[in-house]
Amino acid sequence: MDLSGKVAIVTGSGRGLGLAYAKALADAGASVVVNDIDEAVAQAAADEITEAGGKAIAVAAAVGSSESAQALVDAAVAAFGRLDVLVANAGVLRDKVVWKMTDEDFDLVTQVHLKGTFGPARWAAAYWREQTKAGKPVSGRIINTTSVSGIYGNPGQSNYGAAKAGIAAFTVITALELARYGVTVNAVGPVALT
């Protein structure tokens, strides 16, 4: 796949699957906005990509904040002139059975996963809609990260499962909303056994 000239944002790409996605996009020729809440981690990942011959910038931001989500889209456009792909991958776990889960455990997980999917998608969609209204061709892609925990359930993950089920529904609805602007919205549900 040749993604030369394309620009991608990958949230939660400082390590793990997010970093693997960012590296794969860069290897295919895309310029990548690497995002992590930890500035040093984001920068190290961006440096790894550029040292391998790719193009990347680091943006340290908590994607559950609307301002941070907008900053990601603004950074992509400012650095590379456009935005083509958004991979919403940022995540955090606070696993506990429901009677031991605190409000903070529930709120943090839903903030990072669900609102962290909504925020960047909102600003990317606004960008692509404006491009379409200006008569420019758009071929945008949003890839969200859901989980079987949100579909089948997993004990100790009521917060995570609820967020991931919400992401699945969000994906279906935004796909319907954004199709007329040349944007596809899909979800992946990676599984890890540890």
Side-chain angles (χ1 to χ4, degrees):
M1 180 179 300
D2 183 8
L3 297 179
S4 300
K6 303 292 185 182
V7 176
I9 295 169
V10 184
T11 69
S13 53
R15 56 177 73 96
L17 279 177
L19 179 57
Y21 298 150
K23 289 163 89 173
L25 288 161
D27 288 346
S31 300
V32 181
V33 176
V34 174
N35 162 252
D36 194 275
I37 195 167
D38 184 313
E39 186 173 358
V41 170
Q43 190 59 58
D47 291 345
E48 185 177 342
I49 290 168
T50 56
E51 287 165 10
K55 295 179 186 172
I57 62 167
V59 177
V63 293
S65 148
S66 183
E67 296 79 18
S68 294
Q70 184 177 13
L72 281 173
V73 173
D74 292 348
V77 175
F80 302 118
R82 59 185 294 145
L83 175 62
D84 302 284
V85 178
L86 167 63
V87 180
N89 176 73
V92 64
L93 291 174
R94 294 295 183 270
D95 293 355
K96 291 181 184 166
V97 290
V98 71
W99 60 88
K100 291 185 178 180
M101 187 171 295
T102 65
D103 287 352
E104 292 78 15
D105 294 330
F106 194 89
D107 291 347
L108 175 65
V109 170
T110 56
Q111 179 83 8
V112 173
H113 288 275
L114 187 54
K115 195 160 181 205
T117 297
F118 159 71
R122 170 190 178 193
W123 295 109
Y127 168 79
W128 286 321
R129 184 173 178 268
E130 288 304 313
Q131 295 295 300
T132 300
K133 287 172 64 177
K136 298 176 182 175
V138 171
S139 182
R141 302 290 180 259
I142 298 176
I143 301 103
N144 297 322
T145 306
T146 187
S147 170
V148 293
S149 182
I151 298 165
Y152 302 113
N154 192 30
Q157 291 191 321
S158 59
N159 51 2
Y160 179 77
K164 291 304 191 180
I167 290 169
F170 180 82
T171 300
V172 171
I173 294 164
T174 54
L176 296 171
E177 293 174 343
L178 296 175
R180 66 178 162 175
Y181 298 111
V183 178
T184 63
V185 186
N186 293 283
V188 295
V191 175
L193 298 176
T194 57

